[in-house]
């Protein structure tokens, strides 16, 4: 293993661990309310978590934009720019989170209207929302810090923060629910405590390892307006690109739901295999953000191309390994998730689509990381827009002919289209 592979793995492995631990926050909450004696509690946590996942996903540009611009500034050895990116991102995250808190009532009502849960679930989900919404400054602030750490080639701190945050969530939620007798409010407060714990740990670690950079801090009022415009342009492109991703994923779910409860359950289970693959590939995407941005900023053409080549080497290896795992263990894994006979039987007809996910999606994951690193956000937006059009056209044409198979084919075409378009853009504009 050469130096380039070591660089990639030093970033990718901690990021993969972080990705795997993130879902534990929701799993812990679900496990706790699952023993409260009423299914409405489980539904309330599911609805509440879905609302915040959607809201926070839209603002994921705070992490992605920070990592790319920070990596390029580090590559140029411009420490003042490194600090400016962090302060801009934290300022924007604070403004957005305060806006979410101020507008929490209309936001809550709009999301509950969209999801339309039963009345008992709605009441409990509202209680959950009213508490967890106060954690938005911590969540979005942590987005900014995590992106900055990755841009600084340090994915170990986000990993450590994620682990401590999960421990805090388990301890706080168990104590509030079983120690103090609280119900869904205890779970919500435990989640909020964990979010601020994560932000506090990240802040302490920043001061522990990076406080010397404060000497390069530039007050916001001295920041150039033109630089702010560039910052907002990059984040605008990522924001719009994320909206296309959200639209595709939401429609995929709703299209499955219209085919009945069994198909919806099958698609939900198979999407867990997609998420499993994404946890690993996002780690290599983070390496693309950090290293691609660093060498792009340093104008080091040889190292930049070498990073891209090695990333695709690791991507090819992951495709082979994950596909083999899916073929050999896909159905046994699905049987662990459910023992419903109808769902298991129906899954056998569709599971082979999941075998194709790694092949269809690998390029999109790697290019997303590289494009974020070099802030080629217009390319990301263009590829996501065209791919979304391909998806919706596929749904209209293929579902009439193939049913749920047409829906899955449309999803794979969506993933592959993103990768193909970004490959073309790289060869024409971004290969240095």
């Amino acid at each position: 293993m050469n130096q380039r592979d070591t660089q990639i793995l030093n970033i990718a492995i901690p990021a993969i661990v972080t990705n795997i631990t993130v879902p534990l926050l929701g799993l812990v909450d679900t496990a706790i309310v699952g023993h409260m004696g009423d299914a409405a509690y489980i539904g309330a946590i599911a609805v509440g978590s879905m609302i915040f996942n959607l809201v926070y996903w839209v603002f994921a540009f705070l992490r992605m934009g920070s990592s790319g611009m920070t990596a390029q500034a580090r590559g140029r050895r411009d420490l003042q720019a490194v600090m400016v990116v962090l302060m801009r991102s934290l300022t924007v995250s604070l403004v957005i989170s305060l806006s979410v808190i101020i507008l929490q009532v209309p936001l809550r009502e709009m999301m509950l209207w969209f999801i339309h849960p039963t009345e008992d679930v709605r009441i409990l989900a509202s209680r959950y929302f009213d508490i967890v919404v106060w954690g938005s400054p911590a969540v979005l602030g942590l987005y900014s810090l995590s992106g900055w750490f990755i841009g600084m080639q340090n994915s170990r701190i986000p990993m450590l923060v994620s682990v401590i945050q999960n421990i805090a969530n388990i301890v706080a939620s168990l104590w509030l629910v079983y120690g103090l007798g609280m119900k869904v409010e205890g779970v919500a407060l435990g989640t909020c405590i964990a979010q601020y714990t994560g932000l506090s740990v990240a802040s302490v670690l920043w001061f522990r390892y990076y406080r010397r950079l404060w000497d390069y801090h530039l007050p916001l009022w001295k920041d150039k307006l033109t630089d702010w415009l560039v910052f907002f342009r990059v984040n605008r492109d990522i924001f719009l690109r994320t909206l296309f991703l959200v639209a595709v994923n939401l429609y995929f779910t709703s299209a499955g739901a219209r085919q009945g409860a069994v198909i919806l359950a099958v698609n939900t289970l198979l999407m867990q295999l997609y998420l499993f693959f994404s946890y690993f590939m996002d780690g290599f995407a983070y390496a693309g953000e950090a290293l691609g941005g660093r060498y792009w900023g340093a104008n080091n053409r040889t190292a930049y191309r070498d990073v891209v080549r090695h990333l695709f080497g690791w991507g090819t290896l992951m495709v082979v390994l994950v596909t083999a795992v899916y073929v050999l263990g896909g159905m046994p894994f699905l049987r662990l998730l459910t023992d419903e006979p109808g769902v298991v039987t129906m899954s056998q007809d569709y599971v082979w689509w999941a075998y194709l996910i790694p092949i269809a999606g690998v390029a999109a994951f790697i290019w997303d990381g590289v494009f974020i690193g070099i802030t080629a956000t217009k390319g990301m937006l263009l590829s996501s827009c065209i791919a979304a059009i391909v998806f919706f056209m596929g749904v209209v044409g293929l579902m009439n002919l193939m049913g749920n198979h047409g829906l899955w084919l449309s999803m794979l075409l969506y993933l592959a289209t993103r990768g193909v378009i970004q490959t073309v853009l790289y060869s024409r504009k971004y290969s240095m």
Side-chain angles (χ1 to χ4, degrees):
M1 185 179 298
N2 62 25
Q3 180 184 4
R4 191 72 66 220
D5 290 321
T6 301
Q7 284 182 309
I8 291 173
L9 292 181
N10 281 341
I11 297 170
I13 291 177
I16 290 170
V17 174
T18 302
N19 290 339
I20 292 174
T21 59
V22 166
L24 291 179
L25 281 170
L27 289 176
V28 168
D29 290 347
T30 302
I32 291 174
V33 299
H35 294 85
M36 289 184 179
D38 190 337
Y41 288 115
I42 300 177
I45 296 299
V47 169
S49 298
M50 181 187 301
I51 290 174
F52 286 108
N53 287 340
L54 288 173
V55 171
Y56 293 147
W57 194 11
V58 168
F59 297 127
F61 64 81
L62 290 167
R63 189 207 65 76
M64 291 184 278
S66 297
S67 65
M69 286 183 276
T70 301
Q72 290 185 40
R74 184 183 185 277
R76 297 192 304 270
R77 300 183 183 277
D78 187 346
L79 298 182
Q80 185 176 82
V82 164
M83 283 300 300
V84 166
V85 171
L86 177 61
M87 298 311 297
R88 284 182 194 147
S89 185
L90 286 173
T91 300
V92 173
S93 71
L94 181 60
V95 171
I96 292 174
S97 59
L98 291 178
S99 300
V100 169
I101 291 174
I102 292 170
L103 299 173
Q104 61 179 282
V105 174
L107 176 63
R108 181 193 66 203
E109 295 305 309
M110 180 184 69
M111 296 301 292
L112 289 174
W113 171 84
F114 177 76
I115 299 171
H116 199 64
T118 59
E119 187 59 29
D120 55 344
V121 171
R122 179 189 178 91
I123 293 172
L124 293 173
S126 296
R127 296 177 188 172
Y128 179 87
F129 178 96
D130 291 344
I131 295 174
V132 176
V133 71
W134 292 94
S136 56
V139 174
L140 298 184
L142 195 53
Y143 275 10
S144 297
L145 282 168
S146 295
W148 189 87
F149 285 134
I150 291 169
M152 293 296 288
Q153 328 285 287
N154 187 340
S155 60
R156 288 183 173 83
I157 289 180
M159 177 186 68
L160 180 60
V161 169
S162 181
V163 171
I164 294 175
Q165 189 172 353
N166 275 283
I167 294 173
N169 184 54
I170 294 171
V171 173
S173 296
L174 288 175
W175 175 62
L176 291 167
V177 172
Y178 295 109
L180 300 183
M182 301 174 71
K183 296 290 187 179
V184 71
E185 295 86 353
V187 175
L189 187 56
T191 298
C192 204
I193 290 172
Q195 290 165 345
Y196 279 101
T197 299
L199 179 64
S200 300
V201 171
S203 300
V204 168
L205 292 174
W206 188 91
F207 279 104
R208 169 68 175 81
Y209 294 103
Y210 297 104
R211 60 185 172 188
R212 62 182 177 81
L213 294 180
W214 188 256
D215 294 338
Y216 298 93
H217 165 62
L218 181 69
L220 289 175
W221 58 84
K222 293 185 179 180
D223 203 354
K224 296 179 181 178
L225 177 60
T226 53
D227 292 337
W228 271 99
L229 293 176
V230 172
F231 179 84
F232 282 119
R233 177 190 60 77
V234 168
N235 286 302
R236 177 205 63 199
D237 293 342
I238 297 175
F239 171 77
L240 294 174
R241 170 256 189 188
T242 303
L243 290 183
F244 283 115
L245 267 64
V246 170
V248 168
N249 282 277
L250 284 178
Y251 193 85
F252 180 88
T253 301
S254 65
R258 289 198 299 271
Q259 299 177 79
V262 174
I263 291 294
L264 175 60
V266 168
N267 287 353
T268 301
L269 293 178
L270 292 181
M271 283 302 287
Q272 301 308 306
L273 298 178
Y274 171 78
L275 291 174
F276 176 80
F277 178 66
S278 72
Y279 294 152
F280 284 88
M281 289 312 304
D282 274 343
F284 292 98
Y286 288 176
E289 294 177 26
L291 297 173
R294 171 183 175 182
Y295 293 121
W296 180 274
N299 200 28
N300 189 332
R301 178 176 182 174
T302 301
Y304 170 70
R305 288 185 169 183
D306 195 41
V307 165
V308 172
R309 184 171 63 254
H310 280 263
L311 283 171
F312 272 93
W314 282 104
T316 301
L317 178 61
M318 294 307 301
V319 167
V320 173
L321 291 177
V322 174
T323 302
V325 169
Y326 286 177
V327 172
L328 296 175
M331 282 307 302
F333 174 72
L334 295 179
R335 291 190 183 97
L336 285 176
L337 297 179
T338 182
D339 57 1
E340 177 61 39
V343 175
V344 172
T345 301
M346 187 67 73
S347 296
Q348 294 174 343
D349 294 335
Y350 296 100
V351 70
W352 59 275
W353 287 109
Y355 302 162
L356 300 176
I357 288 174
I359 297 173
V362 61
F365 279 102
I366 292 177
W367 283 132
D368 276 355
V370 173
F371 277 38
I372 288 170
I374 65 175
T375 57
T377 51
K378 287 190 181 300
M380 291 178 62
L381 175 58
L382 177 64
S383 66
S384 295
C385 176
I386 295 175
I389 293 172
V390 169
F391 170 80
F392 287 111
M393 290 178 62
V395 168
V396 172
L398 295 172
M399 284 193 69
N400 290 331
L401 298 174
M402 304 169 61
N404 198 51
H405 289 291
L407 180 61
W408 273 101
L409 178 56
S410 300
M411 175 59 79
L412 293 183
L413 288 173
Y414 162 76
L415 292 173
T417 300
R418 284 169 53 199
V420 169
I421 293 174
Q422 287 174 299
T423 300
V424 173
L425 290 173
Y426 170 81
S427 63
R428 292 185 177 183
K429 296 182 64 176
Y430 305 122
S431 60
M432 289 188 73

